[in-house]
Amino acid sequence: MKQLPGFILLIPALVVGCRAGGAAEPAAFVEPPPSFGSPAPIFDILLPADRTATPFLPLPVTGTPPPTSTPVPTPAPTATPTATPWLQPTFAPPSEPVSGIPAPFPLLSPSHTINFVLLGSDSRGGPSFRTDVVMIVMVDLEENGVTLISVPRDLYVYIPGWTMNRINTAFLRGEMSGYPGGGTALIKDTLRYNLGVRIDHVALVDFDGFRRIVDTTGGIDVPLVCPFTEWAVIDPSISIEFESNWELITIGPGVVHMDGDMALWYSRARARSSDFDRGRRQQEVIRALFDAAIDTRMILEIPALFDDFKDTVRSDVSLQTILSLVSFGLNLDEAQIRSFYIGDALTWGWRTPGGASVLLPNSEAIYAMMLEAVGPPGEEPESAGLVEIRNRSGREDWDALAAERLHYAGFETVILDEGGETLAQTTLYDFRGVERDAIAELLLDALGLPESRWHPETGDIGDAAFRLVLGEDYDPCFNPAVP
């Protein structure tokens, strides 16, 4: 079990300056040209910050309301076979017609959380851009946990004071329209109106800043539970417009060490997957950054990083605020980082009368998901005790992949790397001295194992309550974004 400063050690890397500068394209891992699929946005991250949240007041509508007729759903796309079929989006028709401006969500986020939104911009130095990555990070000081919520860029929402539009237009609209507080205020109000989350801070990092963050940690180790195949440029000195300068690269499964360029490529790529899957991968990168921060003892380097990154990171969070949160992060375990996604199961695909492809929110389903996200974690994984993992699969890193899978489910783990003969079957041994109960069922379900793999045992294995022995048959691939 590894203790992490978690989100707090991400902050000194992200929130270390007061202005954002432009950046060039990365040298190697860049997005393929349009002939390879739709280009993905830059993976930037955003953070101004003021803990004082003003009361939310929806403004009068000044734009054109959305259509009131029943939309024609976008036909389901033809899926390209990949190693992971669940990467392909699926669409279903809305169950009811699109109405006018929806009612605002009630305020759901509790007062004891500090809430950030990380925004990724597709800007390449010009004045016009969209925030094509939207990730909410909730730091719960009372429950001692962090919650990540990925919001798709095409979610069709009410932009306060304007009209219905994609959520990725809110920030620029606030900057260009004279909205009080600019883009920072409008994205806060948009998320408050449509998701019920009070946003305290907004963060922005440019291309170069993101790569430097990753490289400053010495690179990050990302557990890829499934193989990932995507286009990458062969020679950065040759134009990316030439198809011959691109090749398909497959990474994983396994723990993949990524430098800044590779982490940026992995976070942005979507030519062969989807925006939904890109949100999942971005959360993987954020979680890996949490892990890398403690290994590099970045706590001691926070003041120096604060000065070093001022040219590439824009933020108004003070060094004192960052340091005051470090003690919280020191008590954070990987299993206390929860992940949620507004995925295709919570939205409907629709084409607007103007021809834009957007995602209509299933408000009831999103409301239920948000209630779970802002609420305390479930009691059962927290009270289960440690899961001891022993790798007898004959495959390197399978223990780390199993641990990652259990962390997503809220279970704490410890890896015992003692070697030993390869075994055929994966088995979960239960040392609690009880019949198979809800906790055991949760573990089996989280690991994708049948009930026959649970075995009660006697004896003392220290702090652990379970021993997971991985065999040759263990399949690490799962999708945390699918309930």
Side-chain angles (χ1 to χ4, degrees):
M1 178 178 60
K2 184 180 294 181
Q3 297 296 325
L4 304 177
F7 179 69
I8 306 314
L9 288 189
L10 183 61
I11 290 179
L14 294 178
V15 190
V16 284
C18 54
R19 74 180 192 275
E25 289 283 342
F29 292 99
V30 296
E31 194 67 19
S35 60
F36 290 84
S38 301
I42 301 171
F43 181 54
D44 295 342
I45 307 177
L46 243 143
L47 235 160
D50 182 354
R51 183 68 183 94
T52 304
T54 55
F56 173 74
L57 295 173
L59 300 179
V61 179
T62 58
T64 304
T68 57
S69 58
T70 304
V72 178
T74 303
T78 302
T80 302
T82 65
T84 48
W86 44 261
L87 298 182
Q88 300 299 326
T90 57
F91 298 108
S95 60
E96 59 186 37
V98 176
S99 62
I101 303 301
F105 268 42
L107 180 62
L108 301 177
S109 51
S111 59
H112 53 77
T113 61
I114 302 176
N115 306 324
F116 297 75
V117 61
L118 311 181
L119 302 178
S121 162
D122 65 359
S123 170
R124 287 167 172 78
S128 181
F129 63 90
R130 295 184 179 185
T131 53
D132 279 354
V133 176
V134 181
M135 187 187 302
I136 298 169
V137 181
M138 302 181 65
V139 180
D140 193 326
L141 302 177
E142 187 172 282
E143 296 292 339
N144 195 32
V146 170
T147 298
L148 308 178
I149 305 172
S150 289
V151 182
R153 63 176 186 164
D154 291 333
L155 193 67
Y156 203 59
V157 299
Y158 173 54
I159 312 295
W162 189 18
T163 185
M164 299 289 291
N165 212 316
R166 290 189 181 100
I167 198 167
N168 69 346
T169 65
F171 189 89
L172 182 62
R173 175 69 183 180
E175 294 288 285
M176 303 294 288
S177 67
Y179 190 85
T184 295
L186 188 52
I187 190 62
K188 287 182 178 183
D189 285 349
T190 299
L191 291 169
R192 166 65 183 87
Y193 192 100
N194 295 278
L195 296 179
V197 177
R198 182 198 72 254
I199 298 296
D200 305 305
H201 305 291
V202 183
L204 174 62
V205 174
D206 63 24
F207 248 168
D208 184 56
F210 176 76
R211 292 198 305 270
R212 287 178 60 198
I213 289 168
V214 175
D215 290 338
T216 296
T217 68
I220 56 176
D221 292 322
V222 184
L224 300 190
V225 295
C226 305
F228 178 72
T229 302
E230 187 54 88
W231 291 101
V233 69
I234 299 171
D235 185 349
S237 66
I238 299 176
S239 173
I240 64 173
E241 299 301 322
F242 293 115
E243 269 193 45
S244 59
N245 195 29
W246 291 88
E247 63 179 343
L248 279 175
I249 291 178
T250 298
I251 55 176
V255 177
V256 179
H257 186 77
M258 299 185 184
D259 63 8
D261 280 337
M262 189 176 191
L264 185 64
W265 165 78
Y266 182 69
S267 299
R268 295 174 57 217
R270 65 180 181 91
R272 289 173 57 89
S273 59
S274 68
D275 282 329
F276 295 132
D277 184 64
R278 187 168 54 179
R280 174 190 64 82
R281 284 180 273 118
Q282 288 159 0
Q283 287 204 23
E284 287 181 352
V285 169
I286 294 296
R287 294 171 77 105
L289 275 169
F290 294 167
D291 202 5
I294 184 62
D295 287 342
T296 55
R297 301 184 179 276
M298 283 179 60
I299 291 177
L300 301 177
E301 301 175 28
I302 290 175
L305 288 171
F306 190 90
D307 290 331
D308 186 43
F309 278 81
K310 65 176 60 176
D311 291 334
T312 54
V313 182
R314 167 178 155 184
S315 169
D316 62 0
V317 176
S318 69
L319 178 60
Q320 181 179 3
T321 299
I322 294 170
L323 294 174
S324 69
L325 291 171
V326 168
S327 60
F328 164 83
L330 287 172
N331 296 312
L332 190 67
D333 184 84
E334 289 165 282
Q336 294 169 288
I337 303 172
R338 301 193 297 161
S339 291
F340 293 86
Y341 312 83
I342 299 179
D344 56 355
L346 306 183
T347 60
W348 296 297
W350 178 57
R351 193 169 297 280
T352 69
S357 180
V358 300
L359 296 171
L360 299 178
N362 181 336
S363 296
E364 289 185 5
I366 291 176
Y367 181 76
M369 183 275 288
M370 291 300 300
L371 281 178
E372 182 182 359
V374 303
E379 294 293 331
E380 289 173 333
E382 186 177 334
S383 61
L386 280 174
V387 180
E388 175 188 291
I389 301 176
R390 296 174 183 247
N391 188 6
R392 301 292 184 269
S393 67
R395 300 290 299 271
E396 187 179 3
D397 296 335
W398 253 226
D399 47 3
L401 301 187
E404 184 75 356
R405 191 166 182 169
L406 291 176
H407 293 158
Y408 273 101
F411 291 95
E412 297 183 2
T413 65
V414 58
I415 295 174
L416 296 184
D417 187 16
E418 299 175 352
E421 64 175 320
T422 299
L423 301 177
Q425 281 195 345
T426 299
T427 305
L428 178 66
Y429 297 99
D430 191 336
F431 287 84
R432 296 174 301 152
V434 299
E435 296 294 325
R436 189 173 67 239
D437 58 4
I439 293 177
E441 297 289 349
L442 279 172
L443 265 173
L444 291 169
D445 184 63
L447 293 163
L449 297 176
E451 294 180 357
S452 60
R453 299 302 175 83
W454 176 85
H455 290 275
E457 283 289 339
T458 59
D460 184 7
I461 55 172
D463 294 332
F466 298 88
R467 174 178 293 158
L468 174 64
V469 181
L470 302 176
E472 290 179 301
D473 65 339
Y474 179 66
D475 181 4
C477 188
F478 82 111
N479 182 7
V482 175

